[in-house]
């Protein structure tokens, strides 16, 4: 659209100035975010690369397993990055061989490296002393994301399938939409209050990861349902009609034709939901608590409380007495950003090119 | 729709049942006896839908009931108009909280949403085509960052500078500082900008190219097309985006709590410490005992916030119903 | 499918991690067997267990000092301490979220019957201010004047004998025990002027150092040379410094007991830990080494719930 505009119109000069100003403003806006991100990573990086040798076996239950998983994941990530970097230089065969070899190598590397990890990523947090780490928080964050997504996905996909394919009457759909709009508009603090009322007060189960996971699952429902529904609608009609023409029932068609076709969209919904779980803190303060404990730092029991990385970042700045608060905060923020970036990368990889 | 951000489920609703009917067995010889597995799947899917609606109702009911109880205990007038919030003394004046929420959210719209819309217009209408992909990527990353990260960065980088500004504007004579409504507004503006920007990009991308072409054919410059054709066409969706940003800013908890100072009274000026509804809820919930008037009053304030955001949703849906 | 490698990787990871049965040296929490590690004199056999404590940040350094020694002596015991303020500690222990509530204040009336009070220390509090030429000469302030500063009546350092400089009051959060104690002794209640709150003691010290004219109140364990600690001026004009001597004799009135509250009588590891903290060995051997704390037994005056 490059129509030759009349440049000697009155006002053309003003327009050029305004356009330049707009451009400058937009670039400034982007610059603010990029520089903030760079500062964060620069400030937090020192903690993340301070590798030490750790005692084996670990003193805390489950820490060895966590260390292994962390080491293997880091190794896999490093290898994937390296492979991407040198891909143009390799032949297809070598590339495929590397891809196949990646998993076993990562696992072996994990076993070998699990005693040589950054202390910050494994250590217990400290209330008053310098040198605290975020090991349990990191584990809690990932575990909570898994729990929460496991709760959101079935319900969200089910509701979306109902809305898009199986709804009988318009008003049920309208009710469902109203409910989802309501959920989407609630401030996150309301979810925290709800979780507090139900789990801490009514059920008297105290702070627990399960409470946090369920509350965040609610929070993510509008997102998952919205994207899944949209993906289902994007399935070409011809595909479904062909399936029906072959004698499949509506349910069979939906399950075996529509949903698989919508999978990339559903995957992006999962990634966004996981990203939100990483990022939320207000609902979790009132449902999962703000502490970690040596006794159950890496335990898989969902009924125990535990703070996540985002909550830890807030806690350290609001109540922490450790003198290295700023460094711990920077490291926590950097790990959070890295987690989110990795999840997004993974999803982009898994989904492949997606039609918008 | 943009990948990272999409408007919550507010799309056309007239096609829903038509789809179902279309796919339902028509004149084809249908099975006379439904398969059990099919029935099971239908039941399961219906159950999921019911769970969603039931959960929503549960949230509203639980929070609402405690909130209403609090209103009855404490008095609605005081909650909305009282100027001192001192639960430990039995005084529940929520005006400082509501004022803080309102002003910081409005400030966020001015500082963040307005530039975001303008930037979106620039990216889609005036910038080279390749810019859009890069810009969108950056904003998607920015939108995914946790709010506590924004709050912490603001505490570290924004508050000291705002302190200097405060002293320049007000001098040493008044009690002002970096922590206050100004910092909160700027921080919230930065936080909502990516979301508003992404939604505006989406809105502007939906402008039919035929309109743009027609405008160009009439001799308009790209600038004129942008502001006289595209933006007016997309104004409803853009307005929805701004409302979305406002609602998000009003509901934001953690980041605001870190930079707003926590003074439970009406601030003297923009640089004076203040508080917001959600920040105060988080701060007070820590030591409130469930069942006491202090805790119930917090739920009442949350209820007020809920009603406001509910109103926002109604306005948004009304707007969206009329979009092209 | 492109996701196959990832799924495979995740599955292997989970499987190997689960199989990784390297035995940790500490026995799993929850088992009832007791250990007989090195026990100091007067210490009881501890059952394995986790004790959660929350509340006062002023008490935290002392609890941490006790926790380190206790955990070393009792393998398998785990004391988790978090902050949040005295009122949070009280609320948490009353609701059962924690076993020990650390508090600078006595239990309020509605909780008194449920909670058992164990006094473990005495802490003094003082008004600390930003150091500058404006208050170089202001080293002691009378109690009524101090009250006026924090209630907002006195707004300038020159009114206290220094040079003209606006007083910036920084408060603690409403749930802070320090605020309750200081308010009770100096103002006769929580009558602070509403101003910005900073509850993180470390951040508060930093803020006091940076903000010209700022003043706040902290436990004496946070006393530092970067800040001006104000002494009290007695009725006769004499200066009462916040020293251990003056606190124990009662001359310096801004102090409080540090309480460990339990819901009913404590049992198990909780009981052992509380016993340890109140034991003479801890009170005379460890406590004096932690900055700012005074043994309860050293006090020559006492105070009850109403002051």
């Amino acid at each position: 659209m490059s129509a030759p505009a009349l440049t000697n119109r009155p006002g053309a000069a003003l327009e050029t100035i305004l356009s330049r100003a707009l451009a400058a403003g937009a670039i400034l806006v982007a610059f603010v975010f990029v520089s903030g991100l760079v500062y964060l990573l620069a400030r937090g990086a020192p903690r993340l690369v301070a590798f030490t040798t750790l005692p084996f076996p670990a003193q805390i239950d489950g820490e060895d397993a966590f260390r292994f998983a962390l080491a293997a994941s880091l190794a896999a990530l490093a290898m994937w990055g390296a492979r991407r970097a040198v891909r143009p230089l390799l032949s297809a065969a070598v590339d495929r061989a590397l891809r196949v070899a990646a998993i076993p190598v990562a696992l072996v590397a994990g076993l070998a490296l699990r005693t040589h990890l950054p202390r910050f990523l494994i250590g217990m947090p400290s209330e008053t002393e310098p040198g605290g780490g975020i090991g349990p928080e990191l584990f809690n964050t990932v575990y909570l994301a898994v729990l929460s997504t496991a709760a959101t996905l079935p319900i969200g996909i089910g509701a979306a399938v109902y809305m898009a394919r199986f709804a009988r009457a318009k008003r049920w759909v309208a009710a469902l939409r109203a409910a989802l709009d309501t959920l989407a508009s609630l401030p996150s603090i309301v979810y925290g209050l709800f979780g507090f009322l139900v789990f801490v007060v009514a059920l008297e189960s105290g702070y627990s990861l399960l409470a946090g996971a369920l509350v965040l699952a609610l929070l993510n429902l509008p997102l998952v349902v919205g994207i899944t529904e949209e993906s289902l609608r994007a399935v070409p009609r011809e595909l479904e009609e062909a399936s029906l023409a072959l004698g499949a029932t509506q349910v069979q068609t939906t399950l075996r034709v529509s949903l698989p076709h919508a999978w990339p969209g559903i995957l992006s919904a999962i990634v966004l939901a996981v990203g939100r779980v990483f990022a939320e803190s207000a609902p979790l303060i009132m449902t999962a608590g703000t502490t970690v404990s040596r006794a159950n730092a890496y335990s898989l029991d969902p009924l125990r409380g535990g703070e996540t990385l985002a909550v830890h970042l807030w806690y350290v700045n609001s109540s922490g007495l450790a003198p290295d608060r700023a460094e711990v905060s920077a490291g926590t923020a950097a790990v959070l950003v890295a987690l989110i970036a990795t999840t997004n990368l993974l999803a982009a990889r898994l989904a492949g090119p997606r039609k918008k | 729709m943009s990948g990272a951000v999409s408007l919550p489920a507010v799309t056309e609703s007239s096609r829903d049942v038509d789809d179902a009917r279309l796919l339902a067995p028509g004149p084809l010889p249908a099975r006379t006896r439904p398969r059990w597995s099919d029935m099971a799947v239908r039941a399961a899917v219906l159950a999921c839908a019911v769970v969603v609606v039931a959960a929503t109702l549960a949230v509203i009911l639980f929070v609402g009931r405690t909130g209403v109880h609090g209103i009855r205990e404490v008095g609605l007038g005081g909650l909305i108009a009282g100027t001192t919030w001192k639960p430990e003394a039995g005084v529940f004046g929520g005006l400082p909280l509501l004022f803080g929420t309102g002003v910081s959210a409005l400030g966020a719209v001015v500082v963040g949403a307005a530039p975001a819309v303008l930037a979106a217009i620039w990216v889609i209408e005036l910038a080279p085509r390749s810019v859009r992909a890069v810009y969108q990527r950056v904003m998607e990353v920015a939108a995914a960052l946790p709010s506590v990260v924004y709050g912490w960065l603001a505490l570290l980088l924004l508050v000291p500078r705002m302190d200097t500004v405060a002293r320049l504007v007000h001098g040493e004579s008044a009690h002002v500082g970096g922590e206050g409504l100004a910092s909160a507004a700027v921080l919230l503006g930065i936080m909502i900008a990516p979301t508003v920007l992404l939604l505006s990009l989406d809105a502007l991308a939906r402008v039919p190219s035929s309109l743009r072409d027609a405008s160009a054919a009439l001799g308009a410059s790209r600038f004129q097309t942008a502001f006289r054709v595209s933006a007016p066409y997309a104004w409803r969706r853009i307005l929805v985006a701004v409302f979305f940003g406002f609602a998000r800013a009003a509901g934001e908890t953690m980041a605001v709590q870190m930079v707003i100072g926590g003074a439970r009274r009406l601030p003297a000026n923009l640089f004076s410490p203040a508080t917001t509804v959600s920040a105060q809820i988080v701060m007070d919930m820590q030591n409130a005992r469930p069942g006491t008037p202090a805790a119930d009053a917090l739920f009442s304030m949350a209820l007020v916030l809920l009603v406001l955001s509910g109103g926002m949703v109604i306005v948004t849906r009304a707007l969206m119903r009329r979009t092209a | 499918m492109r996701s196959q490698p990832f799924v495979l990787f995740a599955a292997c990871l989970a499987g190997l991690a689960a199989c990784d049965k390297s035995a940790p040296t500490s026995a799993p929490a929850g088992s009832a067997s007791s250990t007989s590690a090195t026990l100091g004199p007067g210490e009881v056999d501890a059952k394995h267990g986790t004790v959660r404590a929350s509340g006062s940040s002023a008490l935290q350094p002392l609890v941490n000092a006790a926790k380190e020694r206790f955990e070393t002596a009792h393998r398998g015991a785990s004391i988790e301490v978090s902050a949040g303020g005295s009122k949070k500690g009280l609320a948490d222990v009353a609701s059962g979220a924690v076993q020990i509530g650390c508090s600078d204040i006595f239990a309020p009336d509605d909780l008194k019957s449920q909670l058992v009070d164990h006094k473990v220390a005495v802490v003094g509090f003082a008004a600390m201010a930003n150091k500058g030429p404006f208050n170089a000469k202001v080293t002691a302030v009378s109690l009524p004047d101090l009250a006026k500063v924090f209630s907002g009546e006195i707004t300038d350092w020159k009114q206290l004998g220094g040079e003209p400089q606006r007083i910036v009051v920084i408060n603690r959060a409403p749930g802070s025990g320090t605020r309750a104690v200081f308010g009770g002794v100096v103002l006769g209640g929580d009558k602070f002027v509403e101003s910005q709150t900073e509850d993180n003691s470390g951040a508060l010290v930093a803020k006091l150092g940076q903000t010209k004219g700022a003043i706040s109140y902290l436990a004496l364990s946070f006393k530092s040379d970067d800040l001006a600690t104000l002494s009290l001026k007695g009725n006769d004009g004499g200066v009462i410094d916040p020293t251990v001597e003056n606190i124990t004799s009662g001359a310096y009135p801004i102090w409080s007991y540090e309480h460990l509250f339990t819901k009913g009588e404590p049992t198990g590891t909780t009981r052992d830990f509380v016993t340890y903290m109140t034991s003479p060995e801890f009170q005379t051997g460890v406590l004096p080494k932690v900055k700012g704390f005074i043994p309860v037994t050293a006090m020559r005056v006492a105070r009850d719930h109403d002051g």
Side-chain angles (χ1 to χ4, degrees), chain A residues 185-194 215-216 219 276 280-284 286, chain B residues 147 251-254 278 305:
Chain A
S185 71
L186 290 178
S188 58
I189 191 89
V190 173
Y191 285 101
L193 289 173
F194 173 65
V215 153
L216 288 180
L219 194 105
R276 266 201 94 169
E280 284 291 340
S281 51
L284 293 175
M286 299 186 204
Chain B
S147 50
E252 180 50 50
T253 310
M254 308 309 300
S278 24
L305 208 59

Side-chain angles (χ1 to χ4, degrees), chain C residues 242-265:
Chain C
T243 59
V244 175
E245 243 316 298
N246 285 338
I247 295 179
T248 51
S249 69
Y252 185 82
I254 317 181
W255 60 270
S256 80
Y257 296 109
E258 293 294 336
H259 310 255
L260 293 182
F261 282 105
T262 53
K263 200 168 184 180
E265 289 296 334

